[in-house]
Amino acid sequence: MSRILSQTKSAAVNPLKSSQPLGAALAFLGVEGAMPLFHGSQGCTSFALVLLVRHFKEAIPLQTTAMDEVTTILGGADNLEEAILNIKARTKPKLIGVCTTALVETRGEDTAGDVADIRLKRAQDLPGTEIVLANTPDFEGAIEEGWAKAVSAMIERLTRPGEQVRQSKKIAILPGWNLTVADIEHLRDMIENFGLEPVILPDVSGSLDGTVPERWVTTTYGGTSVEAIRELGTAQYCIAIGEHMRRSAEVLRKVTGVPYVLFQSLTGLKSTDRFVSLLSAISGEHVPAGVRRRRAQLQDALLDGHFHFGGKKIAIAAEPDQLYQLATFFIGMGCEIAAAVTTTDMSKILEKVPAQSVQIGDLGDLETLGANADLLVTHSHGRQAAERLGVPLMRVGFPVFDRLGSQHKPTILYQGTRDLVFEVANIFQANRQAPTREELYPPGKRETPDGPRPPPLTRP
């Protein structure tokens, strides 16, 4: 069990975490016809929008209630109502996802009551549009908690309650925020290979996959439909991925009785084998030949790549579940976790991270703790630390804005793990330094009984 070291600094140095509202907005972006709405000032929304646009390189639908000094004092209920009505009139969304910010949460506004009043008073103005509220103050948690709260809120608000007739082939999937577009596409393909029908919530692979729609769409143009969320109770099983999705799976079980299985990670041979075995048991089908071939390819990649990993020191800074995912991957390849830094201490998964300690902190802590590392692993804001330390950087998580295609890199199941092995091994090879003469032949050992040792690679 790793020790969790609390944050001691009064200010962040090169911040690591992104806020809860941003995580909730990202989850709402995985729903078809959705419009996330930040209940707070314009600055909060602009900052999140810039990060999302730079990461995905896409037009991101995101709105704000634009609270100013007066509404901050008198209350933002009127701004919230006006924003919802304007969004309905102009974009006609199927879902408006309200994400509270620190401004209204610190003031102590009853946002849930305000949303309920708006639904009641303006029912005739909001046909065909659902309003879902996620309480996501900036001053606690991070992107991971915001994502999970939004998913739980959608299930609580939209999913039809009560025991329902189950469809034997239907599987509800609750992916963690750290799964890329490619991960979710690969996950769907894997499940469909067993003849099962996955319903993925949220499904960013349908809305943030880089597809250019034939016409301009003012909301999200793909993802999980609102109707599919309503019918989650007809699924035979629920599979949650990541410890932060446990509460969402428990909410679904409480509302509909659908049982769930939690996978804390799907990266690596062992966890993927367990996942494939579960799919085989649920479907009653043998593992398809294509899946077996992918497993054999991963086995070969592990054999080819492990020479480059052994004894390497890795410094990782990421959200708790992604930290666990990556740390277990590197440990399994024979590396040592020299530094583990994360954003919050709210996740129980931190106790299972295979490191001596986990520091709650920022990228300044990563730079200090990872000074002797062979590889830094974090998002794009870690590039300055990597440059100062002279250590290569592997970009993961959010945001990655100085490289193209980060959302199209798989990191899970057999294929994703194989690609991770290749990516990291190539980084090590590209940054390998030839040993110096002093390292090969220290001054005290250069002489032999027969005379001076000949230089390496010379013919006798």
Side-chain angles (χ1 to χ4, degrees):
M1 178 183 295
S2 60
R3 294 183 298 119
I4 313 301
L5 305 180
S6 301
Q7 189 172 21
T8 57
K9 296 186 294 188
S10 300
V13 180
N14 196 359
L16 169 64
K17 74 176 182 179
S18 297
S19 67
Q20 274 202 92
L22 190 151
L26 183 56
F28 287 128
L29 289 172
V31 178
E32 183 183 11
M35 177 64 74
L37 171 64
F38 274 25
H39 189 17
S41 68
Q42 287 179 301
C44 297
T45 310
S46 298
F47 187 72
L49 184 59
V50 167
L51 287 177
L52 289 167
V53 170
R54 294 183 77 190
H55 180 79
F56 289 103
K57 308 293 192 294
E58 305 293 339
I60 302 295
L62 185 62
Q63 292 295 333
T64 176
T65 57
M67 291 180 63
D68 56 19
E69 297 87 343
V70 175
T71 52
T72 300
I73 296 171
L74 300 180
D78 291 341
N79 279 47
L80 179 60
E81 180 177 347
E82 183 179 357
I84 289 174
L85 294 177
N86 283 338
I87 291 171
K88 172 63 179 177
R90 296 180 182 183
T91 66
K92 297 178 175 56
K94 298 176 182 177
L95 181 144
I96 298 175
V98 180
C99 316
T100 61
T101 64
L103 185 62
V104 294
E105 292 285 351
T106 303
R107 190 181 181 280
E109 293 196 23
D110 181 15
T111 309
D114 294 339
V115 170
D117 288 342
I118 294 169
R119 289 195 192 105
L120 185 63
K121 291 191 307 179
R122 297 291 190 170
Q124 71 279 7
D125 299 317
L126 298 169
T129 298
E130 292 285 351
I131 304 173
V132 176
L133 169 65
N135 291 102
T136 52
D138 306 68
F139 50 74
E140 67 178 17
I143 191 172
E144 189 172 281
E145 286 78 21
W147 171 284
K149 286 183 177 180
V151 176
S152 298
M154 285 189 279
I155 294 172
E156 289 175 330
R157 172 64 190 170
L158 303 177
T159 302
R160 194 152 48 92
E163 293 279 349
Q164 299 161 45
V165 177
R166 306 278 175 79
Q167 299 179 23
S168 61
K169 297 294 184 180
K170 185 175 179 181
I171 306 294
I173 305 294
L174 304 180
W177 79 273
N178 52 307
L179 269 63
T180 65
V181 166
D183 285 335
I184 294 179
E185 290 177 342
H186 186 33
L187 187 66
R188 179 187 292 105
D189 291 342
M190 173 70 81
I191 296 170
E192 290 177 347
N193 280 336
F194 286 86
L196 299 172
E197 301 170 8
V199 177
I200 302 173
L201 175 69
D203 184 4
V204 295
S205 73
S207 56
L208 295 172
D209 63 340
T211 302
V212 180
E214 295 180 357
R215 59 184 178 83
W216 173 249
V217 181
T218 53
T219 62
T220 55
Y221 53 83
T224 314
S225 68
V226 171
E227 188 57 35
I229 302 174
R230 291 193 204 282
E231 300 301 322
L232 282 178
T234 61
Q236 186 71 16
Y237 289 95
C238 170
I239 298 176
I241 305 167
E243 183 63 36
H244 63 293
M245 299 308 293
R246 184 184 295 274
R247 182 178 179 275
S248 300
E250 289 177 345
V251 169
L252 181 61
R253 183 176 64 180
K254 179 181 177 181
V255 171
T256 65
V258 174
Y260 75 90
V261 177
L262 180 80
F263 286 84
Q264 293 170 332
S265 173
L266 286 181
T267 299
L269 184 64
K270 185 177 180 180
S271 60
T272 305
D273 282 349
R274 194 173 143 243
F275 180 73
V276 168
S277 296
L278 176 64
L279 295 181
S280 179
I282 293 174
S283 65
E285 301 288 340
H286 293 294
V287 178
V291 176
R292 293 179 182 274
R293 183 171 179 79
R294 290 285 184 269
R295 187 180 191 276
Q297 291 173 344
L298 173 56
Q299 286 179 304
D300 184 67
L302 294 173
L303 180 63
D304 296 340
H306 82 277
F307 299 101
H308 304 282
F309 285 78
K312 290 292 194 298
K313 296 180 180 180
I314 313 297
I316 309 174
E319 295 281 335
D321 270 307
Q322 190 169 46
L323 176 64
Y324 174 81
Q325 172 196 12
L326 295 169
T328 52
F329 165 75
F330 281 109
I331 288 292
M333 295 298 298
C335 297
E336 173 189 343
I337 305 302
V341 182
T342 192
T343 54
T344 72
D345 60 357
M346 300 177 68
S347 177
K348 294 181 180 179
I349 198 65
L350 294 179
E351 299 175 354
K352 297 183 179 181
V353 173
Q356 291 185 352
S357 62
V358 177
Q359 176 69 55
I360 310 301
D362 52 33
L363 294 175
D365 295 310
L366 178 70
E367 186 172 349
T368 301
L369 298 172
N372 296 319
D374 297 298
L375 179 67
L376 297 188
V377 182
T378 188
H379 53 60
S380 289
H381 288 301
R383 66 196 188 283
Q384 296 96 340
E387 183 178 351
R388 284 190 290 266
L389 295 175
V391 176
L393 172 66
M394 176 183 173
R395 291 163 173 82
V396 299
F398 180 93
V400 176
F401 50 78
D402 57 344
R403 294 291 186 274
L404 288 177
S406 62
Q407 280 301 306
H408 296 282
K409 291 166 55 177
T411 64
I412 63 170
L413 304 177
Y414 298 130
Q415 180 177 335
T417 305
R418 181 201 65 184
D419 290 354
L420 270 181
V421 171
F422 292 155
E423 179 182 4
V424 179
N426 287 335
I427 292 175
F428 286 145
Q429 290 190 83
N431 291 275
R432 184 173 55 191
Q433 296 181 351
T436 64
R437 178 178 175 82
E438 286 70 22
E439 291 174 333
L440 287 173
Y441 305 112
K445 297 183 179 181
R446 291 182 186 175
E447 299 294 329
T448 68
D450 299 325
R453 183 187 297 270
L457 303 181
T458 59
R459 297 180 182 275

